[in-house]
């Protein structure tokens, strides 16, 4: 697929395999999410850095927050926006509850972060919002994606660059990624 990068670097794959382990606790999980975001960021943030473009990192709340510091370690001058979305547990449809983006958004390269790209509903909605607010140069970074979500995001927004740490097998009947890593937000923040 055009505009889609699926990482194969052994260091990224090794760290993702530790994320999947149920025995990996909150502290280590959080650190790994940040490290993987930084490693992926070397590729995803290369063009804006070289071109000297202003950047905005936009995490999808909550789980996307876990990736922000990894990107900021590479691009400390980046501004940070936030998009609040939660997935309805029954319909799996995303609902927006917050959106605040740095201006002028149309002049920035926007890196949207979310560790999980499952059905793709949240990612498509987030990019829809960013475009409505005037965003033009958009990249999307997910640590784990399901084929269904990757296809849906790419088809809905063929103009954006998508970076995926690992492409997993499928979604289960609850629209969770298999094998996946469980609920990313709960594992980063220690909630249940
Ligand atoms: C998770 C995840 C994504 C979304 C992915 O968030 O962080 O945002 O689900 O699913 P989708 O591709 O099917 O939309 P969740 O809604 O659980 O919210 P949280 O981060 O606040 O826990
Ligand atoms: N959200 C998660 O956190 N994990 C999944 O597998 C799917 C959605």
């Amino acid at each position: 697929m055009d505009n889609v990068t699926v990482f194969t670097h052994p260091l990224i794959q090794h760290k993702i395999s530790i994320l999947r382990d149920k025995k990996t606790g909150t502290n280590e999980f959080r650190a790994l999410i940040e490290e993987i975001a930084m490693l992926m960021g070397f590729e995803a943030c290369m063009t804006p850095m070289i071109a000297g473009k202003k950047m905005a990192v936009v995490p999808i709340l909550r789980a996307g927050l876990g990736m922000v510091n990894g990107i900021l370690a590479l691009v400390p001058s980046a501004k940070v926006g936030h998009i609040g979305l939660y997935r309805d547990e029954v319909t799996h449809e995303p609902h927006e509850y917050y959106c605040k983006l740095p201006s002028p958004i149309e002049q920035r390269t926007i890196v949207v972060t979310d560790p999980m790209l499952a059905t793709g509903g949240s990612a498509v909605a987030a990019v829809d919002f960013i475009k409505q607010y005037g965003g033009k140069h958009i990249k999307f970074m997910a640590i784990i994606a399901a084929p269904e979500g990757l296809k849906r995001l790419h088809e809905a927004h063929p103009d954006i660059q998508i970076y995926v740490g690992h492409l997993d097998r499928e979604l289960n009947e609850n629209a969770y990624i298999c094998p996946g890593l469980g609920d990313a937000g709960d594992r980063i923040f220690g909630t249940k």
Side-chain angles (χ1 to χ4, degrees), residues 63 87 114-119 122 144 170-172 174-186:
R87 222 170 61 140
D114 193 329
M116 309 306 276
L117 178 58
T119 65
S122 303
I144 296 183
E170 60 190 356
L171 292 177
N172 69 14
N174 297 318
Y176 267 72
I177 300 175
C178 291
L181 49 72
D183 187 304
D186 282 346

